[in-house]
Amino acid sequence: MEVDEDIPVFDINRLPDELHDKIMDFCDARSMAALASTSKHWHHKRSTCMYLRIVKILKYFQLDPTSFLEFLTETGTVISGSVALLMFYPGLFTPGDLDIYCSLERLDEVLDFLETFTEYHSPVETSPSEELTHDAQYDAWVQNENYIAKVLKLSCSPQSEYDCTEPTILNIIVVQSVEPILAISHFHSTPVMNIITGKGVVCVYPDLTLRKRGIVNSWRKSSQPTDKFKKCLDKYRDRGFEFAMSLGKWPGIRRDFARTRKLRSMPLCAIAFPDLSGTATTRDITKEAVLEESLWDLCWELSEW
């Protein structure tokens, strides 16, 4: 490509390495992807940037990042909800709580870890009944689905080692019958379909989410949404997102969007955290590392409200 000689050109690779980290963190997610595609160096910087973002979030919720990420991997637990969106839009809003999704079979391990290694104690159980369905606090999922076994709410008083002055809230959404990540496919709309694992972060619909656009999660376009459903969408409209019932509203968006598809074949954005053991190279950091191998073959299926 020819460059106009009258336009000054500066090679950012000549800047000090510490400035590279700041540049990457300043970029929005689409710019990060473009920069990461230019070299292994910038690919690694994007992974590092995402890792530093989750470290900041976990410290905000008074959790030790290293041990908590290991715990997520060991138990197959994931973080989702609005906190996961902050990985792609840092500073867009202040999170009110942290939602983690675990299987019913691993719940005892999850509780044991939290009560042993964190200051989160005395969980309060909330039944996933009609009462929970209409509770404005739990606005992630669409309706009272059979796969939600229970919800446990834990709080933590401010701890001196963390920069926090208010109690923090952690919600454990206990999933039955399906893998925890599949519960996320039943959220109200695509902007909140993002996943943080112990190995990295996934934006399931990047072509939409990274443009602040979202598809409403409903097969029944003629159905009337509930007041709670409207409030869920309004919450993200206030954060700058625009919604539609189909992709027809936005020409140029990927046409291979589908409501039912294996995760492996979806055009999602998966960014692995860097290997901190010192044994891996930038070449080892691939998107496949974000999820366990078996999870890539799961069928992602949007539900309805």
Side-chain angles (χ1 to χ4, degrees):
M1 181 179 68
E2 294 185 1
V3 178
D4 191 328
E5 295 182 357
D6 294 330
I7 300 177
V9 177
F10 181 78
D11 183 3
I12 62 173
N13 292 300
R14 297 171 60 185
L15 293 171
D17 190 66
E18 59 269 20
L19 286 182
H20 290 184
D21 293 323
K22 294 183 180 297
I23 290 171
M24 184 60 80
D25 191 44
F26 179 78
C27 291
D28 60 26
R30 294 171 65 193
S31 299
M32 289 174 70
L35 196 54
S37 68
T38 62
S39 69
K40 293 177 182 178
H41 170 78
W42 287 106
H43 178 77
H44 181 71
K45 286 298 182 185
R46 182 175 67 157
S47 295
T48 301
C49 178
M50 284 300 186
Y51 175 74
L52 293 176
R53 286 181 182 178
I54 189 58
V55 165
K56 183 177 180 179
I57 288 172
L58 292 178
K59 286 185 175 180
Y60 175 83
F61 284 99
Q62 308 185 82
L63 296 165
D64 176 72
T66 302
S67 61
F68 194 78
L69 290 175
E70 290 176 354
F71 148 75
L72 293 181
T73 300
E74 291 171 359
T75 60
T77 301
V78 299
I79 299 171
S80 192
S82 58
V83 163
L85 181 61
L86 285 175
M87 294 292 287
F88 298 95
Y89 286 103
L92 183 63
F93 55 88
T94 300
D97 49 21
L98 180 69
D99 293 341
I100 66 172
Y101 289 72
C102 76
S103 67
L104 182 60
E105 294 76 15
R106 308 300 290 268
L107 177 59
D108 288 343
E109 293 177 66
V110 170
L111 289 175
D112 181 65
F113 172 86
L114 292 172
E115 295 183 359
T116 303
F117 298 105
T118 78
E119 296 299 322
Y120 285 92
H121 299 296
S122 305
V124 176
E125 181 173 337
T126 305
S127 172
S129 60
E130 193 69 16
E131 179 182 356
L132 175 61
T133 305
H134 290 89
D135 187 340
Q137 180 179 354
Y138 300 101
D139 64 356
W141 56 78
V142 176
Q143 59 181 1
N144 178 27
E145 302 278 5
N146 292 330
Y147 58 79
I148 302 296
K150 64 178 72 175
V151 176
L152 301 176
K153 179 179 179 179
L154 299 85
S155 63
C156 176
S157 300
Q159 304 298 309
S160 58
E161 63 265 39
Y162 297 107
D163 185 18
C164 185
T165 59
E166 299 291 335
T168 50
I169 304 297
L170 188 151
N171 299 312
I172 306 173
I173 295 88
V174 185
V175 181
Q176 61 185 358
S177 304
V178 297
E179 290 286 346
I181 66 169
L182 290 185
I184 298 163
S185 70
H186 293 257
F187 286 0
H188 57 72
S189 58
T190 56
V192 286
M193 294 183 188
N194 309 293
I195 307 162
I196 301 172
T197 72
K199 298 291 185 67
V201 59
V202 177
C203 178
V204 180
Y205 295 105
D207 274 4
L208 293 166
T209 304
L210 303 186
R211 291 179 170 86
K212 284 195 173 180
R213 295 169 175 173
I215 297 295
V216 175
N217 192 7
S218 172
W219 290 99
R220 301 176 299 170
K221 298 180 181 180
S222 61
S223 300
Q224 293 299 314
T226 64
D227 288 341
K228 179 183 175 179
F229 192 89
K230 292 177 181 178
K231 289 179 180 178
C232 290
L233 298 183
D234 287 343
K235 178 178 177 180
Y236 285 88
R237 286 192 181 100
D238 291 342
R239 293 170 176 173
F241 283 85
E242 183 181 7
F243 290 97
M245 298 298 295
S246 70
L247 288 176
K249 184 174 182 178
W250 301 300
I253 294 293
R254 283 183 185 268
R255 291 298 164 182
D256 54 355
F257 172 90
R259 289 184 177 271
T260 303
R261 176 171 294 181
K262 285 186 177 181
L263 280 171
R264 189 184 302 278
S265 64
M266 293 179 66
L268 48 74
C269 172
I271 304 172
F273 298 142
D275 184 280
L276 302 179
S277 65
T279 60
T281 65
T282 54
R283 186 176 299 177
D284 297 313
I285 304 173
T286 63
K287 75 172 188 178
E288 286 74 21
V290 177
L291 299 175
E292 294 296 328
E293 178 64 24
S294 60
L295 298 182
W296 284 106
D297 290 322
L298 291 177
C299 188
W300 187 270
E301 182 175 359
L302 301 190
S303 66
E304 59 183 76
W305 38 259

